[in-house]
Amino acid sequence: MIDKVAWIHLRDGQVLGTRSKGKDTFYLPGGKREPGESDVETLVREIREELSIEIDAASAEHLGTFEAQAHGHSSGVTVRMTCYTASFDGEPVASAEIEELAWLTTADADRISPVDRIIFAHLESEGLLR
């Protein structure tokens, strides 16, 4: 089980996605926790590293936890994605290993990981994503 924390940033019925250097798939921004980190501490650190913005930790709200086959891993390896919304300061820009940012919708299902497809379907069912 790969345990990750992700940030859900919605705007005009779209969600912010990131593509790492050398990859062809978009993922929700976030990543794996370091030893001893809470979900919110992981969220703040990962988003600072990937997008050069500051998440307001006090505003973080759990949106849901989703599991699926881990993209690019052997069969049976799953990823658990614990998703949060949160306000922030700054303007997201691709940093560290991130090469590209994109505003994505359910029409982008062929460009995202399996767990992100489940998350996108959830966001669409809630009327948050087009």
Side-chain angles (χ1 to χ4, degrees), residues 3-129:
D3 187 25
K4 296 180 106 177
V5 176
W7 181 47
I8 305 293
H9 179 43
L10 295 157
R11 183 180 77 188
D12 301 325
Q14 302 174 16
V15 65
L16 183 64
T18 59
R19 185 179 58 77
S20 296
K21 294 174 182 166
K23 306 285 184 181
D24 61 359
T25 302
F26 282 86
Y27 298 88
L28 294 169
K32 299 175 192 168
R33 68 179 45 86
E34 292 182 352
E37 276 186 331
S38 69
D39 283 359
V40 173
E41 289 168 337
T42 302
L43 184 72
V44 169
R45 178 185 51 77
E46 285 285 344
I47 300 309
R48 181 185 303 125
E49 290 172 2
E50 293 184 358
L51 303 176
S52 295
I53 60 172
E54 289 299 320
I55 292 290
D56 175 6
S59 73
E61 290 187 32
H62 182 250
L63 184 126
T65 302
F66 307 87
E67 292 184 17
Q69 168 65 40
H71 179 73
H73 290 268
S74 58
S75 181
V77 176
T78 58
V79 62
R80 177 188 301 129
M81 191 82 74
T82 305
C83 299
Y84 289 86
T85 59
S87 58
F88 64 97
D89 288 319
E91 185 62 34
V93 294
S95 302
E97 75 270 15
I98 303 303
E99 185 167 29
E100 181 182 4
L101 304 181
W103 290 99
L104 306 170
T105 69
T106 55
D108 294 297
D110 61 333
R111 301 171 63 196
I112 60 176
S113 71
V115 73
D116 285 0
R117 288 185 198 117
I118 294 169
I119 297 165
F120 278 38
H122 172 77
L123 294 172
E124 181 183 36
S125 75
E126 296 290 315
L128 300 170
L129 189 66

